[in-house]
Amino acid sequence: MGLNLAEKIISAHLVTGKMETGEDIAIKIDQTLTQDATGTMSYLQFEAMGLKKIKTELSVSYVDHNMLQSGFENADDHRYLQSVASKYGIYFSRPGNGICHQVHLERFGIPGKTLLGSDSHTPTGGGIGMMAMGAGGLDVAVAMGGGAFYLKMPEVVKIHLTGKLKSFVTAKDIILEVLRILSVKGGVGRIVEYGGPGVKCLSVTQRATITNMGAELGATCSIFPSDENTKEYMKLQKRAKDYAPLEADGDAKYDKIVKIDLNRLEPLIAKPHSPDNVIKVKSAKKIKVDQVCIGSCTNSSLADLMMVAALLKGKKVHTGLSCTISPGSKQVFEAIAENGALTQMIAAGARIIESGCGPCIGMGQAPNSGAVSVRSFNRNFPGRSGTKDAQVYLASPETCVAAAITGFITDPRELGRYPKINLPKKIKIDDSGILPPAKTPGKVKIQRGPNIAPLPINEPMPSTLKGVVLLKTGDNITTDHIMPAGAKILPLRSNIPAIAEYVYHFVDVDFVGRAKAAGGGFIIGGDNYGQGSSREHAALAPMYLGLKMVLTKSFARIHLANLINFGIMPLTFANPKDYDRVDQGDELQLPMVSDIIATGADLSVKNLTKKIDIPVTYSLTSRQVAIVRAGGLLNYTRGGGK
Ligand code: MIC
Ligand code: SF4
């Protein structure tokens, strides 16, 4: 039996375990990336490991998220990151050089390699045939130290593409269609692999748009084959030597196959407040738009922005809205400046923002109250834009331009002729925004500003857990709900005591007060708890407030790993209906829990308020059990655990 793409890469990197669905495996990580909003924690953790140098083939530290410098905090963190990178053998991509995923694809990605990044959209690298996964900063720190990455061998789903995209139908519409079919939890425990004759019509950057938003499916990663298009892209990047072909065997096996005929696809749009809330653009007409934002790691390639410029040429942005454009990288920014596309955007009245995440993470450009904002981004969770009651829609850059010109959500096919874009055969490659590590690391002094607080360390798990339910949530709670971002809160990412004041801030403003008064406690969640970002702050800050256990119907992958890494016990209802038998404020007890999980025996939670026992399950490996009992991965490794 032949191998699929995922199996080919995993088998070449397998450290322990059997490559069978559901088995615990560990794989070697070739490359890592971090970004500034998760990187400071990751490097504090790497420093705590006491190593002299990273042990990966390549590690890169990017600054792209916390770009507004409205106080000293972000600038201090940037200095810290630059000095740490220089000292420990890490490349440093300076602020302004671009969004981590886009720059990594352009300058560092290699087909067939593994990449672990402290950002959930790291799977963008799958566009170039990498096995690229998002993880918490601590897992990335461990990988930088040469440690393997542990996961359960996922199922592999094939998306079989046939046909060819029509005018005004884009790669974004393909992934929105996949989200419509599979939903935001359809990828949990799965790798999504693309194949079929339709793949040939997609460029690397189009593929990267698709693998990027595999994160919204909850998938471990998404992968495209590496073929002639990949070779062309790598040649353009003057990295032909890094090219390697990679394709699934003809008789490869898949756990599920989803077929999409590209000929039949139409422009799609995700309505508020979930990326899988997808409808045809033509059925969402007559919705007045207040803001349009084009860019983000999903849709800010040179091809995307040249199309945007071509569509805006000679037109004006509607007076009823504000339109921002943020190029994905310095390379793209320079190219559109040189070829005149930037002039067309400025002339049309677009507001140009530096290369970075910007409005995607609420780092500026929060829309007006109740605004409708149409974005070429990947997430539209409530409040993420920085405005609590904004209505965010996700669509292709083409659909964004149609809204920007007409003032309404508009099918882009109404714009008339689809412009033909002539992409340059050559592009200026200038890596001056990427600083190599120091030749004399001993001389580098780490620069720590007052924004960087010491890392809080959890205590080992007590034998019995007892406490109150601090909060009961519904399904699909995102890490943006748990630990909000935005221009005000993001600068506190290096200071856990300070950022902990904002846990669940926009869901329940009294949560923190309640947690403090009770000296900690428990959370009850629904399905897919913790979907979205990789931010370990969504586990670390609640841990700081004394959270000891989260009991849900199911978890999202990265958040589950982060809870374990920080010693918070993740449990699931044995019978999902029992969710209704526990309420906020109930007092719960887990007698002898630490001993019980060590034996793998059945566990139940005593609801002391309702005087009932609730059977629960914990699908943890023996290593994870040891980590939770130790009070987290740092304690576990200090105690000699691997
Ligand atoms: C996001 O898109 O939510 C982020 C901001 O990039 C996060 C990382 C973070 O919270 O710092 C992610 O996707 O992991
Ligand atoms: Fe940045 Fe948005 Fe991409 Fe996250 S999703 S890395 S915030 S551009």
Side-chain angles (χ1 to χ4, degrees):
M1 182 59 72
L3 299 179
N4 54 44
L5 285 174
E7 287 166 339
K8 285 193 176 181
I9 304 182
I10 292 173
S11 59
H13 290 82
L14 200 62
V15 177
T16 58
K18 268 214 255 142
M19 208 172 58
E20 280 169 19
T21 310
E23 288 290 316
D24 296 318
I25 57 168
I27 55 172
K28 176 182 172 289
I29 296 300
D30 301 321
Q31 301 188 347
T32 65
L33 71 77
T34 56
Q35 42 89 340
D36 49 326
T38 54
T40 45
M41 276 301 138
S42 188
Y43 292 112
L44 286 172
Q45 287 153 353
F46 180 78
E47 282 191 273
M49 289 175 194
L51 297 172
K52 277 221 155 86
K53 198 176 179 311
I54 49 143
K55 294 188 177 164
T56 46
E57 291 172 13
L58 172 91
S59 289
V60 191
S61 169
Y62 293 90
V63 177
D64 52 4
H65 280 65
N66 289 346
M67 303 285 276
L68 287 184
Q69 292 166 216
S70 50
F72 63 90
E73 293 88 350
N74 292 342
D76 275 12
D77 288 358
H78 300 171
R79 294 228 157 243
Y80 166 72
L81 291 168
Q82 183 167 345
S83 60
V84 166
S86 183
K87 193 171 185 70
Y88 291 109
I90 299 155
Y91 282 80
F92 179 72
S93 174
R94 305 183 68 202
N97 194 52
I99 307 176
C100 54
H101 310 305
Q102 170 113 7
V103 179
H104 207 86
L105 195 74
E106 290 169 356
R107 307 305 306 139
F108 297 112
I110 299 181
K113 296 267 180 194
T114 53
L115 166 68
L116 196 70
S118 65
D119 191 282
S120 66
H121 289 103
T122 305
T124 311
I128 212 167
M130 296 191 93
M131 180 166 173
M133 295 162 293
L138 183 49
D139 283 327
V140 175
V142 168
M144 285 191 284
F149 181 60
Y150 291 79
L151 71 163
K152 280 201 187 308
M153 177 66 198
E155 285 187 352
V156 184
V157 176
K158 182 181 184 191
I159 310 284
H160 186 83
L161 302 176
T162 53
K164 207 167 173 270
L165 290 173
K166 294 222 171 94
S167 296
F168 287 105
V169 186
T170 68
K172 180 64 150 268
D173 301 305
I174 300 178
I175 186 63
L176 288 175
E177 174 68 358
V178 178
L179 274 153
R180 190 186 67 76
I181 298 169
L182 293 179
S183 91
V184 288
K185 38 179 201 185
V188 178
R190 288 170 161 177
I191 290 176
V192 180
E193 197 169 302
Y194 289 82
V199 161
K200 283 202 180 56
C201 323
L202 299 171
S203 66
V204 164
T205 54
Q206 286 176 310
R207 295 173 185 181
T209 293
I210 295 169
T211 53
N212 172 284
M213 277 189 83
E216 277 53 70
L217 294 164
T220 304
C221 64
S222 304
I223 319 178
F224 270 88
S226 169
D227 58 9
E228 284 303 307
N229 296 2
T230 322
K231 194 172 176 182
E232 277 309 300
Y233 180 77
M234 304 207 67
K235 264 198 204 153
L236 184 75
Q237 293 293 335
K238 297 207 173 67
R239 297 201 294 120
K241 64 170 185 4
D242 286 341
Y243 170 72
L246 185 69
E247 63 174 349
D249 292 332
D251 56 348
K253 224 176 85 245
Y254 295 94
D255 295 285
K256 183 181 166 84
I257 298 181
V258 175
K259 292 185 178 160
I260 298 179
D261 178 359
L262 302 181
N263 293 318
R264 298 175 61 135
L265 214 55
E266 294 192 43
L268 300 173
I269 192 162
K271 297 195 297 176
H273 294 284
S274 183
D276 61 359
N277 200 2
V278 173
I279 57 164
K280 289 182 181 163
V281 181
K282 68 179 182 205
S283 57
K285 275 207 219 159
K286 291 285 162 273
I287 297 173
K288 194 186 156 307
V289 176
D290 302 280
Q291 184 190 49
V292 170
C293 298
I294 299 171
S296 92
C297 56
T298 323
N299 274 120
S300 57
S301 65
L302 184 56
D304 282 337
L305 295 197
M306 283 180 62
M307 175 56 73
V308 167
L311 289 169
L312 283 175
K313 191 175 173 189
K315 310 249 172 50
K316 295 287 174 213
V317 163
H318 194 275
T319 50
L321 58 78
S322 157
C323 173
T324 72
I325 300 176
S326 29
S329 67
K330 173 170 169 288
Q331 186 186 94
V332 170
F333 214 158
E334 270 192 86
I336 58 169
E338 266 171 20
N339 69 20
L342 183 61
T343 314
Q344 289 160 10
M345 294 169 176
I346 298 170
R351 301 168 67 180
I352 312 299
I353 308 180
E354 68 176 320
S355 289
C357 300
C360 177
I361 189 58
M363 217 1 118
Q365 303 297 332
N368 57 278
S369 304
V372 167
S373 178
V374 180
R375 302 174 161 214
S376 72
F377 303 170
N378 48 35
R379 287 186 175 145
N380 58 348
F381 303 143
R384 182 174 160 99
S385 64
T387 301
K388 202 174 172 187
D389 58 359
Q391 306 287 312
V392 177
Y393 291 73
L394 307 172
S396 67
E398 283 83 340
T399 302
C400 287
V401 175
I405 294 171
T406 63
F408 290 89
I409 293 182
T410 303
D411 189 321
R413 292 172 294 193
E414 290 180 22
L415 292 178
R417 205 178 50 86
Y418 197 44
K420 174 140 180 36
I421 301 299
N422 288 317
L423 281 172
K425 292 265 174 304
K426 272 202 172 139
I427 191 166
K428 187 172 153 203
I429 305 292
D430 168 17
D431 283 335
S432 58
I434 301 171
L435 309 182
K439 294 212 169 72
T440 48
K443 290 196 182 139
V444 179
K445 200 173 163 306
I446 305 231
Q447 300 191 35
R448 253 174 266 274
N451 191 41
I452 299 183
L455 199 69
I457 305 286
N458 205 353
E459 56 193 24
M461 187 182 200
S463 153
T464 290
L465 288 178
K466 191 173 174 192
V468 291
V469 176
L470 298 167
L471 186 72
K472 182 174 177 185
T473 76
D475 291 344
N476 293 321
I477 282 292
T478 72
T479 52
D480 278 302
H481 289 108
I482 306 171
M483 189 70 263
K488 192 171 150 203
I489 304 175
L490 273 169
L492 305 174
R493 282 287 181 94
S494 323
N495 187 336
I496 298 301
I499 205 168
E501 294 296 321
Y502 294 94
V503 173
Y504 273 117
H505 190 69
F506 297 111
V507 172
D508 181 346
V509 79
D510 300 324
F511 175 83
V512 172
R514 244 186 352 260
K516 283 184 178 169
F522 309 130
I523 288 177
I524 305 295
D527 257 325
N528 201 21
Y529 183 86
Q531 68 158 329
S533 85
S534 68
R535 65 189 72 147
E536 56 193 352
H537 301 75
L540 196 44
M543 175 208 96
Y544 179 79
L545 296 173
L547 181 71
K548 293 278 183 254
M549 183 274 288
V550 184
L551 172 57
T552 69
K553 291 185 191 166
S554 67
F555 288 95
R557 174 184 68 89
I558 307 180
H559 188 60
L560 174 68
N562 284 337
L563 289 173
I564 296 167
N565 280 351
F566 293 102
I568 299 170
M569 182 73 196
L571 294 174
T572 43
F573 291 102
N575 176 358
K577 286 205 173 111
D578 283 343
Y579 170 84
D580 297 327
R581 299 169 79 212
V582 43
D583 289 307
Q584 191 167 311
D586 284 358
E587 192 172 27
L588 308 183
Q589 192 183 33
L590 288 93
M592 306 291 290
V593 57
S594 180
D595 297 328
I596 295 176
I597 61 171
T599 65
D602 288 350
L603 189 65
S604 63
V605 170
K606 285 191 181 306
N607 187 333
L608 301 178
T609 309
K610 298 201 164 53
K611 301 196 173 48
I612 46 172
D613 271 11
I614 300 174
V616 293
T617 59
Y618 50 101
S619 118
L620 305 181
T621 63
S622 51
R623 177 175 177 270
Q624 288 174 326
V625 165
I627 292 173
V628 173
R629 293 183 79 217
L633 184 54
L634 281 178
N635 291 352
Y636 170 77
T637 5
R638 273 186 199 153
K642 286 231 159 134

